[in-house]
């Protein structure tokens, strides 16, 4: 039974690394891990406030002895697995980065969650017991011994814990959309009073639910916040922002770390923008022409909005 297990969430970043011969870099889970003997991409949990690109460099060095440089973002996905021996169910949002090796020497580790790092051809990797997300990242057949929970556990959309400095901390994964229509208008939402960034224009989207894939979460949020039905086109990037003393409806300062995947979404048949989820963090939705968007002062846009529209070459 997995329904009685404690649900947890985490954000993690991983390296997709190939050498000049097309071999891929993998690490083996040790007996100290939840999946001993399985092989996966190097990587691990994103520390509070850490940019995931820094995470993947740090974790790859720790697990393999190699120094890598991040070349780009390959994919973002999520999965759930139950670990009955640890009495937990865990949802992980995984950011997969393409990297190249700058130097170093492969090392073995003792008494650590991963103990071996090796290069494999894809044919060799195909014969290994691969973690599901690793097989997907490498385009190999997927099979897994992971235990999947029978039901999605209840988990709050907002979850803060006391930090070492006395402030509460919150780390949240979210998915947002740069939404355009056939006339190349851009859809934005305005942040409600009482929320961080109140009055600023923001991208449609929000925090993903436990067990939810980011793309599915984004399309759901688009309907709730704007009344539009969209089509997912491409992943544009990931933004990481920390506000060390954010003040929201909770009424007390929170050391807030948001990791946000942003996508390009097209609405083929636009409708008047309407907020259907009334009373939340979104108070208005509106279509903007490119000139209107360009005329908005930068302090009227949230950080992730400014970053995403630039990535989409809309500003």
């Amino acid at each position: 039974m997995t329904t009685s297990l404690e649900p947890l969430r985490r954000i993690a970043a991983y390296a997709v690394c190939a050498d000049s011969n097309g071999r891929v870099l993998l690490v083996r889970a040790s007996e100290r891990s939840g999946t001993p003997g399985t092989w996966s991409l190097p990587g691990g949990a994103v520390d509070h406030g850490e940019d995931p690109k820094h995470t993947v460099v740090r974790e790859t060095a720790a697990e393999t002895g190699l120094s890598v440089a991040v070349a780009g973002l390959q994919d973002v996905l999520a999965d759930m697995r139950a670990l009955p021996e640890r009495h937990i169910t865990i949802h992980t949002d995984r950011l997969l980065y393409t990297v190249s090796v700058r130097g170093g020497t492969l090392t073995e580790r003792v008494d650590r969650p991963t103990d071996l790092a090796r290069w494999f051809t894809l044919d060799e990797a195909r014969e290994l017991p691969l973690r599901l997300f690793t097989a997907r990242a490498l385009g190999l057949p997927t099979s897994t011994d992971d235990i999947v929970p029978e039901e999605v556990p209840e988990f709050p959309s907002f979850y803060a814990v006391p930090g070492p400095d006395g402030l509460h901390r919150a780390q949240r994964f979210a998915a947002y959309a740069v939404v355009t229509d056939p006339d190349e208008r851009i859809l934005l939402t305005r942040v409600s009073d009482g929320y961080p960034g109140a009055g600023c224009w923001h991208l449609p989207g929000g925090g993903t639910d436990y067990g939810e894939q980011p793309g599915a979460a984004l399309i759901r949020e688009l309907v709730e916040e704007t009344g539009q039905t969209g089509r997912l086109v491409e992943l544009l990037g990931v933004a990481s922002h920390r506000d060390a003393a954010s003040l929201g409806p909770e009424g007390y300062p929170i050391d807030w770390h948001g990791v946000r995947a942003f996508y390009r979404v097209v609405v083929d048949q636009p409708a008047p923008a309407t907020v259907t989820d009334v009373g939340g963090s979104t108070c208005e939705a509106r279509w903007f022409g490119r000139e209107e968007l360009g005329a908005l002062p930068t302090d009227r846009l949230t950080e992730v909005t400014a970053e995403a529209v630039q990535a989409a070459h809309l500003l």
Side-chain angles (χ1 to χ4, degrees):
M1 294 291 290
T2 62
T3 53
S4 61
L5 302 181
E6 179 187 1
L8 299 175
R9 282 194 74 156
R10 72 169 188 163
I11 304 169
Y14 298 89
V16 182
C17 185
D19 68 6
S20 58
N21 296 316
R23 298 179 303 170
V24 294
L25 181 62
L26 299 176
V27 294
R28 187 180 70 179
S30 73
E31 293 298 325
R32 292 192 58 188
S33 76
T35 52
T38 60
W39 292 81
S40 71
L41 301 173
V46 177
D47 288 343
H48 185 83
E50 186 178 36
D51 189 304
K53 288 184 290 187
H54 298 162
T55 304
V56 77
V57 172
R58 171 179 59 77
E59 285 282 345
T60 301
E63 293 187 342
T64 71
L66 300 179
S67 173
V68 299
V70 174
L73 180 68
Q74 177 172 306
D75 201 2
V76 178
L77 49 87
D79 56 63
M80 272 194 311
R81 61 182 175 130
L83 299 172
E85 70 281 3
R86 296 188 182 183
H87 310 290
I88 62 172
T89 292
I90 187 165
H91 167 115
T92 307
D93 297 293
R94 304 185 192 274
L95 315 178
L96 310 182
Y97 291 93
T98 304
V99 307
S100 59
V101 175
R102 298 185 293 189
T105 304
L106 285 184
T107 58
E108 297 184 6
R109 307 201 306 168
V110 179
D111 294 330
R112 305 293 293 174
T114 60
D115 58 5
L116 286 181
R118 294 287 187 271
W119 293 99
F120 294 97
T121 67
L122 286 180
D123 284 341
E124 290 170 337
R126 189 188 303 269
E127 303 303 317
L128 296 173
L130 297 176
R131 293 293 311 282
L132 183 60
F133 76 93
T134 298
R136 287 175 175 169
L138 300 178
L140 297 177
T142 56
S143 62
T144 180
D145 292 329
D146 286 356
I147 301 173
V148 179
E150 297 112 348
E151 299 178 4
V152 177
E154 291 186 9
F155 196 84
S157 59
F158 172 80
Y159 185 67
V161 297
D165 52 8
L167 280 178
H168 276 73
R169 285 183 167 185
Q171 187 183 60
R172 191 185 194 199
F173 180 82
Y176 288 95
V178 178
V179 181
T180 57
D181 71 358
D183 293 327
E184 296 193 346
R185 296 183 300 169
I186 298 95
L187 181 63
L188 296 179
T189 61
R190 194 156 62 88
V191 181
S192 301
D193 290 342
Y195 287 85
C200 290
W201 290 99
H202 195 31
L203 298 176
T208 62
D209 289 341
Y210 200 101
E212 191 173 35
Q213 292 293 332
L218 182 56
I219 298 304
R220 170 183 58 77
E221 288 277 352
L222 183 62
V223 173
E224 293 174 1
E225 291 188 342
T226 70
Q228 312 297 309
T229 300
R231 172 169 52 87
L232 206 62
V233 176
E234 63 177 328
L235 174 65
L236 293 172
V238 168
S240 175
H241 297 126
R242 181 184 183 184
D243 185 338
S246 177
L247 192 62
E250 298 79 23
Y252 53 88
I254 294 172
D255 183 350
W256 182 271
H257 179 208
V259 177
R260 299 151 172 146
F262 49 93
Y263 298 77
R264 181 184 288 277
V265 170
V266 172
V267 173
D268 295 306
Q269 297 179 323
T274 305
V275 179
T276 58
D277 186 14
V278 178
S281 60
T282 299
C283 63
E284 183 181 355
R286 178 181 162 191
W287 289 100
F288 286 82
R290 286 207 182 195
E291 290 186 1
E292 289 181 287
L293 179 63
L296 283 175
T298 54
D299 62 359
R300 294 290 308 282
L301 297 176
T302 61
E303 284 181 297
V304 68
T305 302
E307 187 171 333
V309 296
Q310 288 176 358
H313 306 295
L314 297 176
L315 280 181

